[in-house]
Amino acid sequence: MATKKTGHRLETEIERCRSECQWERIYELVKQLSTKLISNDDMAELLLGEGKLEQYLKDNPLKQGASPRGLRPKLTDVRKHLTAALDRGNLKPEFMQEAKLIMAKLNYVEGDYKEALSLYSKVGLDDLQLVASPPYRLRMIAEAFATKGLCLEKLSVSSSTNSLHVDRDQEIITCYEKAGDIALLYLQEIERMQMANIQNRSPKPGPASPDQELSFFLETGLQRAHVIYFKNGNLTRGVGRFREILRAVETRTTQNLRMTIARQLAEILLRGMCEQSYWNPLEEPPNQSPLDDPLCQEHGTKRYALSRRPKVYMGENIFCPKENTEEALLLLLISESMANRDAVLSRIPEHKNDRIISLQSASVVYDLLTIALGRRGQYEMLSECLERAMKFAFEEFHLWYQFALSLMAAGKSARAVKILKECIRLKPEDATIPLLAAKLCMGSLHWMEEAERFASMVVEFGDKSLEFKAKGYLALGLTYSLQATDASLRGMQEDLQRKALLAFQRAHSLSPTDHLAAFYLALQLAISRQIPEALGYVRQALQLQGDDSNSLHLLALLLSAQKHYHDALNIIDMALSEYPENFILLFTKVKLESLCRGPDEALLTCKHMLQIWKSCYNLTNPSDSGRGSSLLDRAIADRRQLNSITLPDFSDPETGSVHATSIAASRVEQALSEVASSLQSSTPKQGPLHPWMTLAQIWLHAAEVYIGIGKPAEATACIQEAANLFPMSHNVLYMRGQVAELRGNIDEAKRWYEEALSISPTHVKSMQRLSLILHHLGRYSLAEKILRDAVQVNSTAHEVWNSLGVVLQAQGHDDAATECFLTALELEASSPIVPFTIIPRVL
């Protein structure tokens, strides 16, 4: 009785070791089996043959694509053990099947593919039962199907008929799919068994079960089917196979495999599938798909039956993607979490190879995430993902650079500049990085000293980067030009403008075929009021790039500075034929039309801009409070001219500024507008700030036209629409002052101008109009001071010089007044319809 119990316990232990591939333990257990149960000598032969074969494969692993050929001396004992067990025939039928499966596997390892296939035929591989089979037997069957598929691939089809080729390919794929499904089932059973052992373990635990590893044959069964599908051009079935594997309940052994498959499937979804050819994972794939090669004869797959299939994730609340980018993003986020969890961060030499593999795997995931999130414009989320990648990024330029670019796209410019500094340290020979940093500093950050430093860095590259040296001088010139715009002292302005001009001339001499160098040189000459020279260079820029909108705009402004208004308007119309949605060109057109074609044409252009704005941005105007159609809708729907429309009044202010002359003024406007918004309305504006700034500018331009033709009521309505968007913009307040002056309310106008200057102390137009009111009130000294401050801010504003002359003349300073009048005349002769500085100055 004790012998039977001991034998049962021994058999259970052998079964467990075979399931968990603990082949070293098998030898000890076989010795115990032979001494206790003499009748099981054939079973001992089977176990020894299997153990030695598996140990050999562990020490001499097979590789994908290799073709094993010839007898191997180390496997002689394996064949002896298996032959002895098979020849004597004392084994039970199920163990006899196992012996044949092991022998077939041995034949494959030695390169005898036909004999291996013959043994599988004798066993009846397709008829083997999976129900109630122990895990080790599931592994043997899975490996058998994989080995059969490998053998069929190795043997060529002797017949030339195409149908046999198709049948052979189908049989191979079916073998691999069955192998993969049974392999997943085996791994799930092993994990379930190990978890049960852990839960039922006694207080004195035995040895811990080792982590399971995928053998060559199991891995082949899981990965080979989709490779053949893709090779044959059947992308639909390949994607379907990927999804089947990913839907199976995860095990620790398949984690790395799942990450690889998820990444590969995401890449296919992003690069090889469009929304029209997508089907969600819970649907049956289409019989015919544009994804598949039309010459591929295998349009479908013959479904096969298995008595047991691996468990899959199921439930009512499981998320199911609806389109390809959504599924790709889900897969990549899963892959990213797995890559972060398994990251190898140790810097010791022994872990170098593992660390490189971990980094490469993570980098591929993050590159694909960049594609997926970039398509949707989700740069905020992308920057958060890449921030998690920084654990991999020690001395890794690619990840740092990707992080910097994502921060740029997400609008986090200050942080992007800090990351770019690290990129410069990692790759100091790359001139594009400091150029990119300079562009950021010149833009929204307005860090001119930093921009100058980065641009100088490019210039100092010297012979190492001649191709970028011109770009460096271009960036340096832009920095000086912008610094001149911000400078408060006239002498400093002139010095910076001179430096900018020299830098642009150097850039143009280094790169005479670069239209940007010629354009910015022309723009700087125009700002310095060297109009004839500027015309020559802007024409060069247009010869190099004839459809550049900024060059066309500058040409129109230069013509307007020479008082050729009709020619300038023709240039603007030509530019708008190429760029019909360019609002900066349209704003200039309104000014020119007011002079050349009359205010009615200018107002129609304003109405046209409203239509373009609505079609471009498709946003809901926050001024529409639901009490009837908004002014925008009425202006678009009404067939009459805009100047005959009665404009309703709405009050729904929000944050932002229409046009800030400095970063400080912009921040003040935003803060004040937020306060006004919190007091009057909680309705948010949709989307980014720029579209609403553009809409406010349209209303202000319409108001300016109405003021020019003496219609204060209509102008007030337009200003109110802009105020609903940005109530504390200095431009809105300035326009309110203009309307008050038109109505003869001098005190009210003075109050509006003072409020505008309290927000933007350097707003020249408000300074000039306020000084005239003060002059009217007899406060000459204060008026003179304000005008002299305005001249320091903008020394080319002829209206300011003329007003200064008027104030000085009233004080009896005739000689100084004469000089001011002469300066005003000289500047007015070269002044464009709008300031040259409205043209963007960015790299």
Side-chain angles (χ1 to χ4, degrees):
M1 190 71 179
T3 304
K4 287 185 178 181
K5 286 184 180 180
T6 303
H8 178 71
R9 191 162 49 247
L10 193 59
E11 289 174 3
T12 303
E13 182 65 13
I14 288 174
E15 182 180 306
R16 186 184 69 82
C17 290
R18 291 179 76 185
S19 297
E20 296 178 357
C21 301
Q22 298 184 46
W23 306 113
E24 297 85 354
R25 287 266 300 151
I26 290 291
Y27 304 135
E28 301 174 8
L29 296 172
V30 165
K31 291 178 182 178
Q32 298 177 35
L33 181 68
S34 300
T35 57
K36 293 181 179 298
L37 300 172
I38 303 302
S39 61
N40 276 350
D41 283 346
D42 286 353
M43 188 64 191
E45 297 284 4
L46 167 64
L47 294 173
L48 288 172
E50 181 183 28
K52 289 181 179 180
L53 175 59
E54 295 297 340
Q55 193 62 48
Y56 171 83
L57 291 175
K58 186 176 180 180
D59 298 335
N60 304 275
L62 300 177
K63 295 181 179 179
Q64 294 289 347
S67 299
R69 281 291 182 187
L71 297 175
R72 303 184 183 224
K74 293 183 180 180
L75 296 177
T76 304
D77 286 345
V78 176
R79 186 170 290 277
K80 287 181 180 178
H81 289 305
L82 295 175
T83 302
L86 288 169
D87 287 348
R88 286 198 290 264
N90 294 328
L91 292 171
K92 295 179 181 179
E94 62 268 22
F95 295 127
M96 186 66 73
Q97 290 175 342
E98 292 176 10
K100 290 178 181 178
L101 293 178
I102 299 168
M103 180 65 83
K105 186 176 179 180
L106 174 63
N107 287 329
Y108 170 79
V109 172
E110 293 183 339
D112 193 350
Y113 308 130
K114 288 185 178 179
E115 182 61 28
L117 290 173
S118 174
L119 282 169
Y120 287 137
S121 178
K122 292 176 181 177
V123 170
L125 191 56
D126 293 322
D127 298 326
L128 293 179
Q129 288 299 310
L130 306 177
V131 179
S133 293
Y136 81 86
R137 190 171 174 85
L138 295 175
R139 176 183 56 79
M140 293 180 69
I141 297 173
E143 290 187 342
F145 275 114
T147 308
K148 181 179 178 181
L150 288 167
C151 291
L152 290 171
E153 280 197 272
K154 302 292 184 185
L155 295 175
S156 59
V157 181
S158 58
S159 173
S160 61
T161 59
N162 206 25
S163 61
L164 287 178
H165 281 284
V166 175
D167 291 342
R168 173 62 64 90
D169 284 347
Q170 184 57 59
E171 185 179 3
I172 292 170
I173 290 173
T174 301
C175 285
Y176 287 136
E177 289 194 333
K178 285 184 176 180
D181 287 346
I182 300 170
L184 291 171
L185 179 61
Y186 157 69
L187 294 170
Q188 290 172 358
E189 285 294 303
I190 283 293
E191 185 145 306
R192 183 189 62 78
M193 184 178 71
Q194 290 177 348
M195 292 300 295
N197 289 340
I198 292 173
Q199 293 173 0
N200 298 330
R201 187 174 292 166
S202 63
K204 187 179 179 181
S209 300
D211 289 338
Q212 205 68 24
E213 293 183 4
L214 281 177
S215 68
F216 165 79
F217 298 99
L218 293 182
E219 191 171 352
T220 299
L222 287 166
Q223 295 198 10
R224 188 66 185 154
H226 58 258
V227 171
I228 298 176
Y229 278 131
F230 295 140
K231 183 180 178 181
N232 293 344
N234 195 337
L235 195 63
T236 302
R237 280 304 306 155
V239 169
R241 185 59 189 164
F242 270 146
R243 287 171 168 176
E244 288 171 6
I245 295 174
L246 290 172
R247 285 191 65 194
V249 174
E250 184 179 3
T251 64
R252 284 176 297 174
T253 309
T254 57
Q255 285 177 351
N256 290 334
L257 174 67
R258 288 171 69 86
M259 185 174 74
T260 302
I261 289 178
R263 189 178 67 234
Q264 291 172 342
L265 177 54
E267 189 168 357
I268 291 169
L269 292 169
L270 290 173
R271 298 180 178 177
M273 185 182 292
C274 63
E275 293 183 5
Q276 289 73 24
S277 57
Y278 179 81
W279 74 99
N280 76 55
L282 299 181
E283 294 176 349
E284 285 295 323
N287 293 326
Q288 292 185 344
S289 171
L291 298 175
D292 298 334
D293 185 351
L295 301 178
C296 175
Q297 297 185 17
E298 181 193 350
H299 294 295
T301 299
K302 298 175 183 176
R303 300 306 298 170
Y304 52 88
L306 287 177
S307 55
R308 287 181 71 189
R309 286 188 175 274
K311 294 180 180 179
V312 297
Y313 290 110
M314 298 182 68
E316 296 180 358
N317 298 322
I318 290 180
F319 172 76
C320 182
K322 297 297 188 297
E323 47 93 23
N324 56 331
T325 308
E326 196 173 73
E327 182 176 352
L329 182 57
L330 174 65
L331 292 167
L332 290 171
L333 290 174
I334 293 171
S335 300
E336 187 217 0
S337 67
M338 297 173 74
N340 276 295
R341 181 192 61 200
D342 300 331
V344 179
L345 305 178
S346 173
R347 308 299 298 181
I348 62 176
E350 290 82 358
H351 294 162
K352 181 179 179 181
N353 291 334
D354 292 336
R355 189 177 67 253
I356 291 173
I357 293 171
S358 177
L359 171 66
Q360 290 174 342
S361 178
S363 294
V364 172
V365 172
Y366 285 113
D367 287 346
L368 291 171
L369 270 171
T370 303
I371 295 172
L373 292 171
R375 284 183 180 179
R376 294 299 189 87
Q378 297 291 333
Y379 300 112
E380 180 83 21
M381 185 176 181
L382 176 60
S383 65
E384 292 173 1
C385 291
L386 287 168
E387 186 171 7
R388 294 194 290 269
M390 289 297 99
K391 65 165 66 176
F392 301 96
F394 180 72
E395 300 295 318
E396 293 296 334
F397 171 79
H398 177 68
L399 286 175
W400 280 100
Y401 196 49
Q402 287 287 83
F403 187 33
L405 294 176
S406 70
L407 289 170
M408 283 178 57
K412 301 176 182 178
S413 302
R415 197 171 180 203
V417 171
K418 293 181 180 179
I419 303 301
L420 286 172
K421 288 180 181 178
E422 178 67 13
C423 294
I424 292 171
R425 186 190 69 79
L426 292 172
K427 209 170 183 180
E429 72 282 358
D430 191 342
T432 61
I433 306 171
L435 276 175
L436 201 57
K439 179 177 180 178
L440 283 176
C441 292
M442 275 185 249
S444 59
L445 294 175
H446 217 67
W447 294 351
M448 291 305 154
E449 291 79 9
E450 284 284 296
E452 182 181 350
R453 188 173 68 82
F454 285 123
S456 300
M457 194 182 297
V458 180
V459 170
E460 291 165 3
F461 270 108
D463 296 336
K464 293 187 295 183
S465 182
L466 286 175
E467 58 183 310
F468 290 107
K469 196 167 185 177
K471 291 290 185 185
Y473 276 110
L474 194 61
L476 199 58
L478 286 169
T479 303
Y480 290 141
S481 182
L482 290 168
Q483 283 177 322
T485 303
D486 293 340
S488 59
L489 298 177
R490 185 178 178 185
M492 187 181 294
Q493 285 180 359
E494 292 174 351
D495 182 54
L496 289 167
Q497 286 176 355
R498 185 167 53 254
K499 284 184 176 181
L501 194 58
L502 289 173
F504 289 136
Q505 288 172 341
R506 181 66 172 148
H508 184 57
S509 64
L510 287 172
S511 183
T513 58
D514 184 2
H515 78 281
L516 284 177
F519 163 72
Y520 281 119
L521 178 54
L523 178 59
Q524 191 58 44
L525 288 166
I527 291 171
S528 303
R529 291 300 190 269
Q530 301 178 48
I531 304 301
E533 295 86 348
L535 275 168
Y537 282 110
V538 78
R539 288 190 174 111
Q540 284 187 35
L542 286 169
Q543 287 175 353
L544 295 169
Q545 186 79 24
D547 60 348
D548 181 57
S549 63
N550 289 326
S551 297
L552 290 169
H553 195 185
L554 178 57
L555 177 59
L557 294 183
L558 290 168
L559 291 172
S560 74
Q562 294 184 328
K563 307 307 181 254
H564 302 315
Y565 297 122
H566 288 281
D567 292 339
L569 185 55
N570 290 335
I571 295 294
I572 291 293
D573 285 335
M574 183 175 67
L576 285 170
S577 66
E578 291 289 331
Y579 306 96
E581 297 173 356
N582 188 315
F583 285 103
I584 297 179
L585 291 173
L586 287 164
F587 292 146
T588 303
K589 182 180 180 181
V590 171
K591 300 277 190 180
L592 289 168
E593 282 184 330
S594 297
L595 290 172
C596 298
R597 299 173 184 171
D600 289 349
E601 289 294 323
L603 289 169
L604 284 175
T605 300
C606 290
K607 176 180 177 179
H608 178 59
M609 281 195 283
L610 292 172
Q611 294 172 322
I612 293 174
W613 185 91
K614 187 173 183 181
S615 64
C616 283
Y617 299 113
N618 193 27
L619 299 172
T620 302
N621 191 343
S623 67
D624 187 357
S625 59
R627 296 172 293 178
S629 298
S630 69
L631 175 59
L632 174 61
D633 293 333
R634 289 191 58 183
I636 293 172
D638 204 312
R639 297 290 181 180
R640 296 171 293 166
Q641 292 184 353
L642 192 61
N643 63 342
S644 64
I645 297 176
T646 303
L647 303 178
D649 181 21
F650 294 103
S651 57
D652 192 2
E654 264 299 334
T655 61
S657 71
V658 176
H659 176 66
T661 57
S662 68
I663 296 298
S666 176
R667 289 172 179 168
V668 170
E669 288 179 4
Q670 184 170 353
L672 292 175
S673 293
E674 285 174 355
V675 172
S677 175
S678 65
L679 293 174
Q680 300 181 44
S681 173
S682 61
T683 306
K685 290 193 293 291
Q686 302 173 12
L689 190 62
H690 176 72
W692 301 110
M693 293 171 62
T694 303
L695 180 59
Q697 285 279 37
I698 295 171
W699 289 120
L700 291 179
H701 275 73
E704 191 173 355
V705 176
Y706 279 126
I707 290 171
I709 59 176
K711 290 183 176 290
E714 288 82 354
T716 300
C718 290
I719 294 169
Q720 182 60 45
E721 284 297 322
N724 290 340
L725 297 167
F726 303 105
M728 293 302 171
S729 166
H730 65 275
N731 277 319
V732 171
L733 299 173
Y734 167 76
M735 293 301 294
R736 289 190 187 279
Q738 290 276 281
V739 172
E741 277 198 81
L742 182 61
R743 286 174 168 162
N745 299 328
I746 302 301
D747 291 337
E748 183 184 351
K750 175 176 176 290
R751 179 170 58 83
W752 287 122
Y753 294 141
E754 288 173 344
E755 288 191 16
L757 288 172
S758 68
I759 294 172
S760 180
T762 58
H763 188 231
V764 173
K765 288 183 177 181
S766 295
M767 298 169 82
Q768 188 251 340
R769 297 309 303 174
L770 178 60
S771 67
L772 289 179
I773 291 176
L774 291 171
H775 168 262
H776 178 73
L777 297 174
R779 302 173 65 180
Y780 302 125
S781 298
L782 183 56
E784 181 185 351
K785 180 186 182 305
I786 292 173
L787 287 170
R788 290 191 183 279
D789 289 343
V791 166
Q792 291 292 333
V793 174
N794 184 3
S795 60
T796 60
H798 65 275
E799 300 96 337
V800 176
W801 283 105
N802 186 70
S803 299
L804 182 58
V806 170
V807 172
L808 289 172
Q809 187 179 29
Q811 292 177 295
H813 306 310
D814 294 336
D815 292 341
T818 301
E819 290 183 12
C820 290
F821 288 138
L822 290 173
T823 303
L825 284 172
E826 182 182 350
L827 291 171
E828 196 277 334
S830 60
S831 293
I833 193 71
V834 295
F836 291 113
T837 50
I838 70 161
I839 296 178
R841 282 174 285 175
V842 292
L843 282 175

